[in-house]
Structures are given as structure tokens and as C-alpha cells.
């Protein structure tokens, strides 16, 4: 993504990359194997096509490249695609206004969209099934509570340290102040700052979730917007530092080393903070009084050490016999149920009655569900 700008020197490219690997959802894969981490890793690859549009290259739209990269993102994480569309739309508008070949630009985008829809037909079909059937949605989340928060000594997907925040503010400031000198960097800095603002508690998410309650079960976490904000801001940082480094006067030398030093200290601090965070999670795992860190557990054994023994057991099904989660995300239901009640209903109707049913996998791969009942009447499997 940074190379696409053709304005970044190698040392500052590596600095931006180092910070990128420490922030937001990328390290979340280590923490909890979040698929948003894979989406976040694909985002810079796709955003480079937005940079290509703004730069007004001869072939502004790489039809196949854009379609394939978006399709891979769709196969990996649906929500990432929605955010990428939000990010690429302003780039297309800027390119369309500035372009002298508007018809070609519009035609290439249409071709790219058609190819993307063809490559993502299985995902689109699944989403249509989801929307046209009674499906249990994920547990509703308080959007304001999961928005990005400023927290000393904690770098996590929902948190950012004050020092790293200062680096990002300086980055956006440099891009906006030097609007006339570098239009591309301006759009990167402005776009990154906008998505970053939307991801924080500064945005009125409390009002937003009251007006659009479906966001609590579909979008869930405003901090997810950082998968767009961080790449844009870090590329902008690399461009600004590369530009400053070319000017050899005392003011720019001080500015270069000052910002670079601050960014290095912030990134090293973030690295140690995240290691400390992982260490605390390990200690929690070894604590006999702790079951899990992030989950809605309905059934759990009295002796917590059993869970740890199950996780190391050769009998891979033992854990699911002793521990039952109650997050029925996307399971079929017979009628519309409020998402806030779905966890308790699933626990009472399914988890609690699990011993009353016999489940078998047949030789042909089909599934059998067997139970006893006193009267011959219809029963719905929920």
C-alpha cells in the first residue's frame, strides 16, 4: 500500500509496518483468533487500489486486481468488505471529479463490481438466506462500551495508549496542514482521521444505537473501524516523514527525529504493553478460579481445573460435555426472538435438555436426532 504512493522511503515504510503489526485487530489473532484480524491484514492490499484511483494513473482501476482482492476479503470476513466499500467510495469520488476519462473510470468500476459479485456468489447467497429466514442474531453489544478507548499501558483492539494517540494526531495534522504540497497525503490523513474518530467514544454511539438498534447485533464494535483508520494514518505518517527527511534544514531535521523518536518509543512501548497483556491472560488461564475470559458460559463444572484438563485431553469432545457456551449466533429459530433474550432461551431449551436427545452421524454423512415423548405431536428443532 505504501509503495503504491511512490513517496515513501524504506526506513519509514518499515516504521509504519512495525506499528501496524502492533495495533488494533492484527494482534487480536493471538489474543482470540478473531477473523477480523485476517480482514485487517487484507485491508492494505485493497486500499492500494484506492490510492491508485486518487493518483490518476493511466489505468486508475485495475479491474481484475480490485475485484479479486475484494472477493478474497468477502470470503474471509464480510464486515471487512462493507468497511472497504466505505473507504473506497470517497477515493472513487475524488478520482471521478479529477479524471479526464470519466466514462472509462466508471466502466472499469462496473466491470470490477460484476467480477466481484461473481466471485462472491456463495457469500451473497448465504447472506440472502440469513436475511430471508428466522435466524438468531449475535448477542447485542453496547456500541459506546466497545468503542476505542484511551487507556495507559494497554494496547488492544478496543484500546490505544496516549502516546500512540499523539503520534496519530500529529500524523493527521501534518497531512492536513500540507494540503497544498501533497494532495494524496491529505486524503490519506483526512480519511484515516475520519475513520479513527468514528471508531472512538468521541462519536455519539449512544444516540446512534438508539436510532439504529440493529447495529448492536450486526456491527457490534465501533473499534472495528480502526482496520481502515490505522493503515491510512500509518501510510500518511510514512509519507510525511519521507518528505520531511528530504529537507536538510535544521527545523526539518529536528522535526524528523522528533516525530520518528516519538513513534519508535510509542511502538516499543506498545510491544511491551501487549506482551504484558498476553502474560496476564496466561496467568488467568492458570488461575483455578477463572473459567474463560470472553464468553457467555451457561454450563460449567464446579471444579474449574476440569476445563484445563479437558483442553489437554486426547478426548476432544470432553470439553464440550463439561462446558457449554450459550451464544446461538446464526442458528435457525421458529419465530423472531429478541436478541437480548436469545442466550437464556438457548440455554434453557437446548443446553439444559442436551441429555434428552441422542445425536448420531450416519454412514452417509447425514445426521439423526432421536428423542422420546409421551404424546405424538409436532416438535420443532430450534
Amino acid at each position: 500500500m505504501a509503495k503504491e504512493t511512490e513517496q515513501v522511503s524504506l526506513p519509514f515504510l518499515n516504521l509504519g509496518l512495525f506499528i501496524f503489526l502492533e495495533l488494533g485487530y492484527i494482534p487480536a489473532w493471538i489474543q482470540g483468533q478473531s477473523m477480523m484480524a485476517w480482514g485487517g491484514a487484507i485491508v492494505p492490499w485493497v486500499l492500494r487500489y484506492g490510492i491508485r484511483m486518487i493518483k490518476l494513473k493511466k489505468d486508475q482501476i485495475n479491474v481484475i486486481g480490485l475485484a479479486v482482492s475484494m472477493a478474497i476479503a468477502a470470503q474471509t470476513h464480510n464486515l471487512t468488505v462493507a468497511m472497504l466499500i466505505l473507504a473506497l467510495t470517497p477515493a472513487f469520488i475524488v478520482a471521478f471529479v479529477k479524471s479526464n476519462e470519466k466514462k472509462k473510470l466508471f466502466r472499469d468500476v462496473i466491470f470490477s463490481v460484476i467480477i466481484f459479485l461473481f466471485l462472491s456468489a456463495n457469500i451473497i447467497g448465504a447472506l440472502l438466506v440469513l436475511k430471508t429466514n428466522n435466524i438468531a442474531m449475535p448477542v447485542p453489544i453496547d456500541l459506546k462500551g466497545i468503542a476505542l478507548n484511551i487507556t495507559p499501558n494497554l494496547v488492544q483492539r478496543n484500546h490505544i495508549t496516549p502516546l500512540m494517540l499523539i503520534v496519530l494526531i500529529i500524523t493527521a495534522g501534518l497531512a492536513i496542514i500540507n494540503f497544498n504540497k501533497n494532495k494524496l497525503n491529505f486524503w490519506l490523513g483526512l480519511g484515516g482521521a475520519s475513520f479513527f474518530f468514528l471508531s472512538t467514544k468521541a462519536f455519539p454511539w449512544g444516540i446512534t444505537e438508539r436510532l439504529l438498534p440493529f447495529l448492536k447485533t450486526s456491527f457490534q464494535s465501533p473499534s472495528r473501524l480502526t482496520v481502515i483508520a490505522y493503515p491510512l494514518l500509518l501510510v500518511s505518517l510514512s509519507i510525511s516523514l519521507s518528505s520531511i527527511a528530504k529537507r536538510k534544514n535544521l527545523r526539518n531535521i529536528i522535526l524528523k527525529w522528533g516525530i520518528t523518536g516519538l513513534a519508535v518509543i510509542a511502538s516499543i512501548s506498545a510491544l511491551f504493553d501487549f506482551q504484558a497483556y498476553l502474560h496476564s491472560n496466561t496467568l488467568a488461564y492458570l488461575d483455578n478460579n477463572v473459567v474463560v475470559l470472553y464468553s457467555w458460559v451457561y454450563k460449567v463444572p464446579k471444579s474449574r481445573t476440569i476445563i484445563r484438563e479437558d483442553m489437554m485431553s486426547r478426548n476432544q469432545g470432553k470439553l464440550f460435555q463439561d462446558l457449554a457456551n450459550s451464544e446461538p449466533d446464526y442458528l435457525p429459530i421458529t419465530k423472531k426472538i429478541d436478541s437480548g433474550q436469545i442466550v437464556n432461551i438457548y440455554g434453557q431449551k437446548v443446553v439444559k435438555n442436551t441429555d434428552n436427545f441422542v445425536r448420531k452421524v450416519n454412514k452417509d454423512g447425514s445426521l439423526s436426532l432421536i428423542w422420546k415423548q409421551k404424546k405424538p405431536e409436532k416438535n420443532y428443532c430450534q
Side-chain angles (χ1 to χ4, degrees), residues 11 14 80 150 153 170 181 183 193 212 218 253-254 282 289 299 359 381:
N14 289 331
T80 301
I150 304 169
N153 304 320
I170 291 172
K181 295 179 181 178
K183 297 290 197 303
L212 305 170
S218 56
I253 291 173
I254 294 172
T282 304
N289 296 314
K299 172 188 170 187
R359 296 161 294 279
C381 297

Side-chain angles (χ1 to χ4, degrees), residues 299 310 315-325 354:
K299 172 188 170 187
D310 289 347
N315 181 358
Q316 296 180 353
K318 189 73 168 59
L319 176 65
F320 300 102
Q321 294 170 3
D322 294 330
L323 181 70
N325 218 12
T354 186

Side-chain angles (χ1 to χ4, degrees), residues 212-286:
L212 305 170
F214 69 89
L215 290 176
K216 294 196 289 185
T217 56
S218 56
F219 183 50
Q220 290 190 307
S221 175
S223 63
R224 285 174 164 174
L225 291 166
T226 57
V227 301
I228 304 293
Y230 288 151
L232 291 174
L233 286 171
L234 292 173
V235 170
S236 178
L237 174 65
S238 300
I239 291 173
S240 293
L241 288 175
S242 299
S243 176
I244 292 169
K246 292 176 182 177
R247 304 174 204 137
K248 302 301 181 181
N249 58 63
L250 181 61
R251 177 180 173 275
N252 284 294
I253 291 173
I254 294 172
L255 194 60
K256 178 189 76 172
W257 287 112
I259 297 172
T260 303
L262 186 64
V264 168
I265 293 169
S267 61
I268 293 174
S269 173
L271 179 63
F272 284 115
D273 289 341
F274 187 67
Q275 286 181 331
Y277 174 74
L278 292 178
H279 180 64
S280 68
N281 279 8
T282 304
L283 294 178
Y285 170 77
L286 297 173

